[in-house]
């Protein structure tokens, strides 16, 4: 039997309307546009406003658009995996809510939690179901409403994050195109540097945890920065090396958008010039599980069949990874 491979056959993103600019953040915390731009590359982020609007609203919008764009009947979708650290609620899974919203009544669905590496983890998981031959149409979503866990009194984190979602459709192929290799890693000793202190089983919500502002993302930025630079570059170089790729063979680096300086360092290490690096951090900030599909969505019209893409991410956990994709279609 020929070996099956999963290929991305469609991509769609969704970002909310509201733009939170650096200028507006200057009114909330002691910061300025020059500091934010030079230290992170971020100019503005999108924020999902309104009551009862969770990550599933953005995830469902992305998936609905994806299914329409690819002419896919929602009833043919067999699996939806949603990567998120800001689920609508602890349970049921946000993927389940998205499946219901888009009418994917015959799918099974679940969430995975791997912070900023979530989309890569979910993509590899989804690909395995295709490769196993058990599932023909799999949707992978990255959706995060980071504004729901960001402390707008903490200048070290509130400048970084935004809201958004992106989704891809995976289908089977026996060709050379598709997801060709993945290296995924995690290290739980990274917990002290990036986490949310309360609201889980270790420290359930109380009046005290709310007053102590422990339901927001906590980060020791400079430590995370150091680990991100080393680990994202290491796995990207490793995935290139074991597939015999040099910087010249890579058409695009698709990096997680946490900080422009981390992205530049990774590209340097890989020998990939800035013209081949997907970047939209200036418009969306760090949307956690959504950054990589939002990049693919933004650059879709420039992608050609056969392009070698290296996807790379680093995030809370710590989690990190890199995936080698041979792009499967020309601009439509
Ligand atoms: C958060 C981050 C941008 C901070 O940049 P940095 O160069 O490491 O800055 P530091 O944290 O060392 O802070 C430097 C100074 O700027 C100050 N500062 C922090 N945030 C600021 C802000 N928004 N505006 C102005 N000054 C700020 C600090 O208080 C510090 O001042 P001090 O020297 O007087 O103590 C950077 O560490 C980063 O991007 N980290 C990784 C983020 C990441 O990848 N996170 C998610 C994983 S996906």
């Amino acid at each position: 039997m020929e070996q099956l491979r999963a290929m991305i056959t469609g991509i769609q993103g969704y970002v909310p309307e509201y733009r939170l600019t650096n200028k507006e953040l200057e009114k909330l915390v002691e910061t300025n546009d020059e500091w934010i731009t030079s230290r992170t590359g971020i100019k503005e982020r999108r924020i999902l406003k309104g009551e009862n609007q969770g990550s599933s609203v953005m995830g469902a919008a992305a998936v609905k658009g994806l299914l329409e764009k690819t002419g896919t009947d929602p009833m043919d979708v067999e699996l939806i995996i949603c990567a998120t650290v800001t689920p609508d609620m602890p349970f049921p899974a946000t993927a389940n809510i998205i499946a219901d919203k888009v009418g994917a009544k015959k799918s099974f669905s679940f969430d995975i939690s791997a912070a900023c590496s979530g989309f890569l983890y979910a993509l590899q998981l989804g690909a395995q179901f295709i490769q196993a031959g058990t599932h023909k149409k799999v949707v992978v979503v990255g959706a995060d409403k980071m504004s729901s866990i960001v402390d707008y009194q903490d200048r070290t984190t509130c400048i970084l994050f935004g809201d958004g979602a992106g989704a891809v459709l995976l289908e089977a192929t026996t060709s050379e195109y598709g997801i060709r290799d993945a290296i995924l890693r995690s290290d739980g000793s990274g917990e002290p540097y990036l986490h949310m202190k309360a609201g889980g089983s270790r420290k359930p919500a109380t009046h005290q945890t709310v007053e102590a502002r422990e339901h927001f993302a906590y980060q020791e930025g400079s430590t995370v920065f150091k680990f991100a630079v080393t680990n994202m570059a290491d796995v990207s170089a490793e995935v290139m090396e074991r597939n015999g790729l040099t910087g010249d063979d890579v058409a695009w680096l698709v990096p997680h958008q946490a900080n422009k300086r981390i992205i530049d360092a990774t590209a340097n290490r890989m020998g990939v010039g800035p013209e081949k690096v997907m970047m939209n951090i200036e418009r969306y900030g760090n949307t956690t599980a959504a950054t990589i599909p939002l990049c693919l969505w933004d650059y879709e019209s420039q992608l050609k069949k056969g392009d070698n893409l290296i996807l790379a991410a680093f995030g809370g956990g710590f989690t990190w990874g890199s995936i080698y994709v041979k792009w499967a279609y020309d601009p439509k």
Side-chain angles (χ1 to χ4, degrees):
M1 207 177 93
E2 279 183 291
Q3 203 209 320
L4 288 175
R5 200 190 295 284
M7 59 177 175
I8 295 173
T9 54
I11 171 90
Q12 183 68 24
Y14 174 84
V15 288
E17 293 285 305
Y18 189 84
R19 292 160 197 262
L20 176 60
T21 61
N22 290 351
K23 276 269 162 273
E24 198 176 339
L25 282 170
E26 285 177 10
K27 294 180 205 146
L28 299 177
V29 288
E30 186 65 44
T31 191
N32 58 75
D33 176 51
E34 199 281 319
W35 192 95
I36 302 173
T37 307
S38 62
R39 295 294 181 108
T40 70
I42 303 167
K43 283 287 188 190
E44 60 181 40
R45 326 96 193 105
R46 301 298 184 96
I47 304 295
L48 184 65
K49 296 275 188 181
E51 291 293 307
N52 273 319
Q53 305 285 297
S55 295
S56 73
V57 170
M58 298 183 291
V63 176
K64 202 165 182 293
L66 174 73
L67 299 181
E68 281 166 14
K69 185 174 171 182
T70 54
T72 306
D73 183 340
M75 295 296 269
D76 289 339
V77 175
E78 294 163 309
L79 166 61
I80 298 181
I81 307 174
C82 180
T84 184
V85 285
T86 51
D88 280 27
M89 49 189 86
F91 69 91
T94 298
N96 241 6
I97 301 168
I98 293 173
D100 182 53
K101 284 186 167 148
V102 304
K105 298 289 185 191
K106 285 188 177 167
S107 73
F108 84 106
S109 47
F110 59 90
D111 288 356
I112 67 137
S113 171
C116 297
S117 310
F119 184 77
L120 293 193
Y121 274 45
L123 185 64
Q124 174 65 356
L125 259 173
Q128 304 270 333
F129 281 89
I130 300 270
Q131 275 166 239
T134 54
H135 294 70
K136 290 192 174 61
K137 287 186 195 291
V138 172
V139 170
V140 175
V141 198
D144 269 305
K145 183 184 171 186
M146 292 306 289
S147 62
S148 66
I149 59 164
V150 161
D151 184 352
Y152 289 97
Q153 293 181 14
D154 174 8
R155 69 175 181 173
T156 67
T157 53
C158 74
I159 54 149
L160 300 172
F161 295 101
D163 303 338
V168 297
L169 179 64
L170 295 179
E171 294 181 270
T173 181
T174 52
S175 74
E176 63 180 308
Y177 305 106
I179 291 151
R180 297 188 58 94
D181 198 8
I183 301 175
L184 300 173
R185 299 267 160 76
S186 59
D187 178 358
S189 69
E191 181 205 303
Y193 312 109
L194 184 49
H195 58 259
M196 194 161 104
K197 293 189 186 304
S201 57
R202 200 192 292 176
K203 200 173 192 186
T206 62
H207 287 294
Q208 286 77 16
T209 62
V210 172
E211 276 160 23
R213 310 186 76 77
E214 289 180 342
H215 294 272
F216 295 119
Y218 168 85
Q219 174 171 254
E220 288 178 24
S222 53
T223 309
V224 175
F225 186 93
K226 278 180 220 136
F227 277 98
V229 166
T230 313
N231 289 324
M232 211 159 110
D234 276 355
V235 278
S236 302
E238 195 180 334
V239 97
M240 282 170 67
E241 196 180 312
R242 77 181 191 190
N243 288 280
L245 299 171
T246 66
D248 290 342
D249 303 316
V250 174
W252 293 100
L253 166 64
V254 194
H256 170 55
Q257 310 279 303
N259 186 315
K260 187 177 179 302
R261 290 184 291 146
I262 299 175
I263 296 172
D264 291 345
T266 305
N268 252 333
R269 170 84 182 280
M270 293 166 62
V272 170
E275 72 288 353
K276 297 203 280 190
V277 180
M278 291 192 190
M279 192 105 71
N280 56 18
I281 191 170
E282 68 284 359
R283 285 179 290 136
Y284 303 145
N286 182 350
T287 55
T288 303
T291 60
I292 289 177
L294 281 175
C295 271
L296 291 172
W297 179 51
D298 270 352
Y299 283 79
E300 187 186 18
S301 63
Q302 297 179 54
L303 293 173
K304 292 190 293 297
K305 190 172 180 173
D307 277 354
N308 290 319
L309 273 55
I310 300 292
L311 282 44
F314 182 87
F318 294 134
T319 57
W320 67 101
S322 184
I323 294 187
Y324 166 33
V325 175
K326 198 176 260 300
W327 196 248
Y329 59 93
D330 284 319
K332 290 172 182 155

